[in-house]
Amino acid sequence: MHNVELLNITETADSNISNKKAENKKEKIKVDKLNAFFGNVKALNNISLSFSENTVTAIIGPSGCGKSTLLRCINRMHEEVSGTYEGIISLDDENIKDNDPVWLRRKIGMIFQKPNPFPTMSIMDNVTAGLRLNGIRNRSKLKEIAEQSLRQAFLWDEVKDILKQPGIALSGGQQQRLCIARTLAVSPEVILMDEPASALDPLSTNKIEELIFELKKSYTVIIVTHNMQQAARVSDYTAFMYLGELVEYNKTANIFTNPSNKRTEEYVTGRFG
Amino acid sequence: MQIINLIKRKIFKQQAGIISVEAPAASFSIKNLLGGKNVGDLVFQNVLRFFASILLLIVVLMVIQMVNQSMPSIKQFGWNFIKNNTWDPVKEEYSAWPFIFGTLYSSLLALLIALPLSLGVSIFLSEFAPRWLEKIVSLLVELLAAVPSIVYGLFGIFVLAPWLRTTIEPALGNKFGFLPLFTGPPYGLGMFAAVIILVVMILPIITSISRDVMKAIPVTQREAAYALGATKWEVVKIILGGAKSGIVGATLLGLGRAVGETMAVTMVIGNTPQISYSLFEPGHTMASVIANEFSEATSTLHVSSLIEISLLLFIITVILNAAARLIVWGVTKKYKGRK
């Protein structure tokens, strides 16, 4: 039973890859036969999929299914919590393990579930934190990039007069957009979002979703979400994961209207999970 | 009588449906009659208030007594008590400057050595060490803090001082004798031994508090830094930035401990009231002079001078500790206040 299902999964995944090639979008990140572990516990089982440039891909699934772990493997944050993985993840056809994780994370930015601005830094310093890590000291350049990033994150108008105030003085939704601006400032190519709106009110959530839609134009976005309406609204592709396995990966419209796997159907219609 | 009437009225209102019956327990207890307070709570509160005020009373009485008893010396010497260098019980001339100097010099030197060491240890413990190692090392560090100071003192006299006299001080004197720090004959017992003992004693305080403050910084902060492409060292820098005020607090607490330390320092510092920057020379501290002389002090002025020194010591330590607590309290509040 299990094996049969696994076969199905690989089939759907394969067919999707060919689908996307037809669309002629470059595959930015490829995940090949990924197995991830926490100590001896296997968290991800044989995951293979790829994420295309300038698209938003949502990863959905019940709690503990490995969504976040998959995300954290991609920018090697998984290894910071002494996790390990087998298989190959590549960025622009280059194995991410061939490079320094520090370099990788400057190309693959990440937004977390809980807004986490640096509490001792002002709004301005928060946005430019990554740049300063990169050794940029020129004040006018920092200011220019900060304004640009804050504008991109739809936050500039709200904070332009209070840039010297601490980042944690902002509301939760503003803090999250500040974190997004901070990530954009180092000009990454891929943005990973781990339930970026789950701690926010509906209005702030709305703003974040609009923002994701804009970000798609210049970045590859991968978003983990618990909220299926959100996945349906913002994403082009959706991956459904269950118990560490990739059950189905397809265009979002297909996943929500015509899922090929029964589990997917049950999940998106709210019958389990 | 009135109370009974009140209760009756309440029962009546309840029956008439004027007061909602949904919360009868609340509206029917003595609580309401006492302005919303429970009798037991009220008694308990006041008993605790009494206990707390005893503490305050002790401090106030102590200060009053110290000021009172040091009056003869304050009247006799005035500000000269702090400025002059003579401490001569035979001529009845007393001034505290050599002791204040000895206290501050030994404590600050100890801090200068202990601070980088403790920071290194606490960064290692909170950021680098695996959990099992962190537990073991933390336990050892806290054990170090629990060792009675007389034990450190004995160690200082019988192990440290002879070693300094025969090995370390001659070597340092030969090579760095041109520095004012390392001049004079090697006695063993002196400022050097006192500083080393103090370093060992304040190391655990600074280490364990700094580690706690660093660990109090949420994981999300570390992840934010890592996700921005920070190296391990840069993450540590960001964490140190957040823990800055807590570390300052820890340092002040360590300094407070060093300033007030009596037994171990008395045993190894050499007890000579002089002002010398050389580590090889013996010195004296405020705490050590009190410990040494209180039993021999017979004249009123001698006793009074010793008590004035204790008053000064008290003031210095209170200021240091208050500053430290305020700072540490401030930093924990900042992180716990917001989610």
Side-chain angles (χ1 to χ4, degrees), chain A residues 89-267:
Chain A
I89 302 175
S90 51
L91 170 71
D92 292 327
D93 294 318
E94 225 179 300
N95 190 340
I96 59 170
K97 276 208 170 158
D98 291 345
N99 275 307
D100 187 12
V102 168
W103 175 87
L104 179 78
R105 290 180 197 133
R106 287 174 190 183
K107 293 200 137 193
I108 305 183
M110 187 167 194
I111 311 294
F112 296 86
Q113 181 173 5
K114 227 168 89 179
N116 55 0
F118 298 119
T120 50
M121 294 187 194
S122 67
I123 294 173
M124 180 72 185
D125 287 346
N126 258 294
V127 180
T128 56
L131 295 169
R132 284 180 289 132
L133 288 179
N134 280 336
I136 299 174
R137 288 276 177 274
N138 184 334
R139 289 187 63 127
S140 59
K141 182 149 192 219
L142 285 177
K143 234 180 154 176
E144 187 193 316
I145 300 177
E147 178 176 346
Q148 188 192 329
S149 313
L150 284 166
R151 277 188 196 283
Q152 251 186 309
F154 298 151
L155 190 61
W156 176 250
D157 290 333
E158 292 160 58
V159 300
K160 63 184 174 196
D161 299 323
I162 51 168
L163 289 172
K164 291 263 180 283
Q165 282 188 24
I168 47 169
L170 298 172
S171 75
Q174 289 174 323
Q175 284 186 29
Q176 193 63 301
R177 278 178 283 146
L178 177 61
C179 293
I180 294 176
R182 182 175 66 184
T183 303
L184 296 179
V186 289
S187 48
E189 292 164 15
V190 179
I191 298 175
L192 309 175
M193 296 182 157
D194 193 353
E195 301 182 38
S198 66
L200 305 180
D201 63 278
L203 213 68
S204 306
T205 304
N206 204 355
K207 282 196 175 148
I208 301 277
E209 286 178 8
E210 278 174 37
L211 181 54
I212 293 170
F213 200 76
E214 284 298 311
L215 291 179
K216 172 168 98 164
K217 290 173 187 163
S218 9
Y219 306 94
T220 307
V221 181
I222 306 173
I223 174 174
V224 160
T225 180
H226 264 256
N227 181 331
M228 268 165 300
Q229 286 76 31
Q230 186 171 64
R233 279 192 301 262
V234 302
S235 70
D236 306 302
Y237 286 86
T238 297
F240 171 60
M241 291 179 64
Y242 184 64
L243 295 177
E245 288 177 4
L246 179 64
V247 177
E248 191 167 349
Y249 181 39
N250 209 332
K251 284 189 173 166
T252 299
N254 289 359
I255 291 272
F256 283 93
T257 54
N258 189 21
S260 54
N261 188 293
K262 201 160 161 267
R263 279 242 181 77
T264 315
E265 187 185 340
E266 279 172 2
Y267 185 73

Side-chain angles (χ1 to χ4, degrees), chain A residues 67-109:
Chain A
K67 312 182 290 282
S68 294
T69 308
L70 173 59
L71 208 61
R72 294 167 72 98
C73 279
I74 294 173
N75 69 344
R76 299 187 64 183
M77 288 289 280
H78 181 59
E79 290 154 70
E80 289 302 337
V81 290
S82 47
T84 50
Y85 75 80
E86 291 162 0
I88 295 172
I89 302 175
S90 51
L91 170 71
D92 292 327
D93 294 318
E94 225 179 300
N95 190 340
I96 59 170
K97 276 208 170 158
D98 291 345
N99 275 307
D100 187 12
V102 168
W103 175 87
L104 179 78
R105 290 180 197 133
R106 287 174 190 183
K107 293 200 137 193
I108 305 183

